[in-house]
Every structure is written in structure tokens, then in C-alpha cells.
Amino acid sequence: MTTTQYDDRLDALVKASTGELLAMIEQGLDHAPQSFETRSSAKQFKRLLDALHAKLRRHHAAGALSMDPSSSPPTLGSTNCRMLRLNAEHSTMLGILGHLCAECYAMSGLSPDEQELFILRARELVAVFRRHTAEEASLYYHTVWRDVGGEG
């Protein structure tokens, strides 16, 4: 993968949507030998991970999912229970993403097996991000629907 396939300036990457960042990361993983053959190409890939990390940190800090303080305590399957679980996932995702960011620079010096493990972890994280984003969107729309008089 050439470095011209995505903008390597972090400020521009931060403005990309989560979906766009995930697609760029997947593109880099699909071309893994080229993405990690040199320290410079690994740095390009790390910029994508850094941008995703920054976006998730902002999302988590903003408390994107907040419980209604007047609602009843969370029960299994309740909206508040789902919100608590999704909010708790942010810390885990940040930790895994931080670990991948730290490992990224070393990719060019790792054995093929270690590189494959890194790629597998990154692919798993992309899948977790996609599921997590879909669950947050579903929860948001379900809550809005209830608030305007839907089931509840």
C-alpha cells in the first residue's frame, strides 16, 4: 500500500468518520506486507490507529451514552444496563487500541508469526468497533423512539 492512499496528517485523519477510519485500517491490513515493511510505512498505519484512538477518547470523555438519573436502577436487558455495558467497553477498547498503537512501530522487526498476531488483533478490534458502533446507534434510536411515544 502506498502512503498516498490516505492522508497521513493526523489532524485530517481526526476529522474522518469512524467508519472511514475503520475502512482505511482494514485497507492497510489487507495489504499488510506493504503496510509494515518499513518503519515509515508502519508509521503511516500507526497514524490511522492514533486517529481512531483520539476519536474514541473524545467519544468516551463526552459521555456519549448517559443514563437518565430519574430512571430506575439498571436491570438485565434494560436500556440503562445496555448503556453501562457499552460505556464500560470504551475503556477496554481504548486499552487494546493503545496496545496496538505501541506495537505498531515494531512491526517491521517482528517475526511473521508475530506480525500475523498483530494483524489478527487489529482485525478483531475493527470487528468490535463495528459491533459497538451499531449497538450504540441502535440504543440511541430505540431511546429516541421511546421518547417520542413508541413502546416503552
Side-chain angles (χ1 to χ4, degrees), residues 64-68 71 74 78-90 132 136 139-140 143 146:
L65 296 175
S66 301
M67 286 192 334
D68 178 3
S71 64
S78 71
T79 300
N80 283 346
C81 184
R82 290 172 62 198
M83 284 183 194
L84 287 172
R85 182 181 56 77
L86 287 169
N87 279 331
E89 280 184 0
H90 292 161
H132 182 89
E136 282 186 347
L139 183 60
Y140 172 78
T143 303
R146 255 193 15 235

Side-chain angles (χ1 to χ4, degrees), residues 49-61 87-102 125 128-129 132:
L49 296 178
D50 287 340
L52 187 61
H53 195 268
K55 186 170 285 296
L56 180 57
R57 277 194 327 266
R58 281 193 314 276
H59 172 76
H60 182 62
N87 279 331
E89 280 184 0
H90 292 161
S91 297
T92 303
M93 291 164 57
L94 282 167
I96 294 168
L97 193 48
H99 180 73
L100 289 175
C101 287
L125 183 65
V128 167
F129 256 92
H132 182 89

